[in-house]
Amino acid sequence: MENKRLYRSTTNYMLAGVCGGIAEYFNIDPTLVRLAWVLFCCLGGSGVLAYIVAAIIIPK
């Protein structure tokens, strides 16, 4: 079993690398994660705050 850790992406980032890091962790396309995050921001409204918190908490 492989030990995987969640990090912000340094190669696949746009703002802070949060979506790229999540995509690398789950081994999926970063565009899908970004689209899901935009939908989360539009529908839930707290997506921007969650992104800022994730950018602070998730190590680089």
Side-chain angles (χ1 to χ4, degrees):
M1 187 170 184
E2 179 183 336
N3 276 340
K4 290 177 24 175
R5 295 193 56 145
L6 179 61
Y7 291 104
R8 288 187 289 155
S9 178
T10 56
T11 58
N12 196 1
Y13 66 93
M14 290 208 169
L15 292 177
V18 174
C19 291
I22 292 171
E24 289 174 4
Y25 182 80
F26 289 111
N27 198 23
I28 58 175
D29 186 28
T31 305
L32 296 174
V33 176
R34 289 184 184 110
L35 286 173
W37 205 282
V38 168
L39 287 174
F40 180 64
C41 288
C42 292
L43 297 177
S46 62
V48 176
L49 179 64
Y51 191 89
I52 293 170
V53 170
I56 293 170
I57 293 175
I58 299 173
K60 205 165 206 183

